[in-house]
Amino acid sequence: PPAVKLSGAGRALSLQPLIAGDVAYRVQRSARRRTVSIEIRDAEVIVRAPPGVSERTLQQMVYRKRAWIVEKLIAQRRQLARIPEYSYLSGSTMPWLDETLTLVVGQGATGGVHRCGSDLVVTLSRRSTRSSVEQTRQLVKDWYRTEALRLLTAKSSALAQRLGLRYREIKVRFTRSKWGHCTSEGVLQYNWHIVLAPEPVVDYLVAHEVCHLRHLNHSAHFWALVASVCPDYQAHRDWLKANGRCLTL
């Protein structure tokens, strides 16, 4: 089947609704492209092509690959249906590692969040012009991001010290395509949504990125090092592939 590729930044979009058989798709053309590829993303089919390829050629390609496309669409639609939706109301719950936190929302002079046992206590500012849900959502996300950085820094530091490795900096951000990244300069970057996963999965991700400080590749030596600190890494890696899309706030 054609490769499934993530769209790059800075490409001009020209999306046109088309259909081949019973498969609806859109076309994205770019002068920078030299080949045609089909991407299934968010249960949508996108055909990426250079400007000179005819619409008929693209339609025929989609038609030939329709069995593969339909299979991927069904799988992605099932996955999208599993993505949780949070109300951000008092009494609602959300995951934190292996725990479940319950929101307790009140009002005060200034906004803030603190944890008390299994409760995540959210104080909304009376002076804010935003709705209670909007305030709560932002405050909760800020808390998760801050705590994720604290947790991932602690775990990464401990493992790096254990392996005799050094990193330059640890960052957290939200990305759609990666859960973690280690740069050639030794900067470890994590998707902070990982703290919504079970803790062993978090530990696998940390092991993966920290081990890149020694092997900036996915060679046999790299995976052997990962296995030495995270023997069940394959199971956690598979879990993340199967459930990662559901880790969102």
Side-chain angles (χ1 to χ4, degrees), residues 38-207:
I38 297 177
E39 175 187 349
I40 318 295
R41 185 172 185 177
D42 294 335
E44 181 182 31
V45 183
I46 299 177
V47 180
R48 307 190 187 279
V53 181
S54 69
E55 299 288 0
R56 181 174 178 80
T57 297
L58 299 179
Q59 186 180 45
Q60 290 173 341
M61 179 179 180
V62 172
Y63 188 78
R64 288 196 305 269
K65 301 296 182 181
R66 66 189 183 282
W68 173 81
I69 291 171
V70 169
E71 179 184 352
K72 295 297 182 182
L73 285 173
I74 291 172
Q76 286 196 11
R77 285 168 183 163
R78 287 174 177 168
Q79 191 175 49
L80 288 172
R82 295 173 52 218
I83 296 177
E85 293 185 4
Y86 302 105
S87 67
Y88 293 95
L89 299 175
S90 192
S92 61
T93 60
M94 52 189 54
W96 168 267
L97 302 177
D98 299 308
E99 304 174 71
T100 298
L101 303 181
T102 301
L103 294 186
V104 179
V105 182
Q107 288 193 329
T110 59
V113 180
H114 70 275
R115 182 174 174 179
C116 183
S118 61
D119 290 339
L120 196 59
V121 182
V122 182
T123 303
L124 307 181
S125 171
R126 295 191 183 95
R127 296 176 293 179
S128 176
T129 58
R130 294 188 299 171
S131 70
S132 296
V133 170
E134 289 175 336
Q135 280 194 73
T136 303
R137 180 186 291 111
Q138 190 59 59
L139 287 168
V140 167
K141 286 187 175 183
D142 289 346
W143 182 87
Y144 265 83
R145 185 185 180 107
T146 298
E147 290 302 303
L149 178 59
R150 180 191 60 77
L151 177 75
L152 293 166
T153 297
K155 286 181 176 292
S156 299
S157 297
L159 183 56
Q161 184 177 14
R162 173 182 165 188
L163 295 177
L165 300 171
R166 288 187 175 184
Y167 61 85
R168 178 179 175 183
E169 186 181 2
I170 295 176
K171 299 179 179 180
V172 294
R173 56 187 300 190
F174 170 68
T175 57
R176 290 185 177 275
S177 59
K178 289 183 178 181
W179 284 104
H181 180 60
C182 175
T183 72
S184 57
E185 294 78 23
V187 177
L188 302 178
Q189 300 174 353
Y190 296 102
N191 183 333
W192 61 268
H193 284 192
I194 193 63
V195 295
L196 300 169
E199 191 162 11
V201 177
V202 178
D203 291 337
Y204 154 68
L205 181 63
V206 169

